[in-house]
Amino acid sequence: MFSVTVRDHMMIAHSFRGEVFGPAQRLHGATFVVDATFRRPDLDADNIVVDIGRAAQELNAVLGQLTYRNLDDDPAFAGINTSTEALARVIADRLVERIEAGALGDGARGLTGIAVTLHESHIAWASYERAL
């Protein structure tokens, strides 16, 4: 299996519901380093997994919809705890929508999987993986 990973970051504000979150139930900020890994069993006709420039551009566009925003105010997240794990899934799903729409080029149609990892710090991160 081949893979290519691109990296970006986002800064959000949010709060959580539920006592398990302790003080994070209050509004707080978070900065995430975000890795998106694209996978396929064979290289495309150009001998690549995916165009790295396009992959980075599309990750940046997806994160641009989230960064510098209070996710508590976003109707897309109404009633959802925007945990690191949940945000990884949202970002992966939005990237898949872009892949399916052709934003990463025809060669990206051969991708078979994607994984998104959000790094909360140098000691904690969460990932979501899905098939295409």
Side-chain angles (χ1 to χ4, degrees):
M1 186 68 64
F2 294 94
S3 67
V4 164
T5 301
V6 294
R7 175 173 278 183
D8 206 331
H9 73 284
M10 68 177 182
M11 294 176 271
I12 57 102
H14 64 165
S15 62
F16 295 120
R17 288 173 315 286
E19 290 192 30
V20 68
F21 295 104
Q25 292 177 83
R26 293 187 300 272
L27 184 64
H28 63 280
T31 300
F32 296 102
V33 172
V34 182
D35 292 332
T37 301
F38 302 87
R39 293 192 174 98
R40 65 188 304 150
D42 298 302
L43 300 177
D44 72 5
D46 295 311
N47 224 24
I48 61 174
V49 172
V50 68
D51 181 305
I52 290 174
R54 281 183 158 179
Q57 181 179 3
E58 294 305 317
L59 176 60
N60 182 265
V62 167
L63 298 182
Q65 299 169 346
L66 303 170
T67 199
Y68 293 118
R69 288 179 171 74
N70 179 353
L71 301 185
D72 294 350
D73 295 337
D74 188 328
F77 299 112
I80 298 170
N81 274 330
T82 50
S83 64
T84 305
E85 298 90 336
L87 289 173
R89 180 178 58 207
V90 166
I91 293 165
D93 290 346
R94 290 181 181 184
L95 284 169
V96 168
E97 288 172 4
R98 289 171 177 268
I99 292 165
E100 291 173 347
L104 275 77
D106 288 337
R109 298 203 186 279
L111 294 170
T112 58
I114 188 170
V116 172
T117 301
L118 273 65
H119 301 264
E120 289 191 51
S121 72
H122 65 287
I123 61 168
W125 56 89
S127 299
Y128 176 74
E129 292 187 45
R130 62 165 284 186
L132 273 79

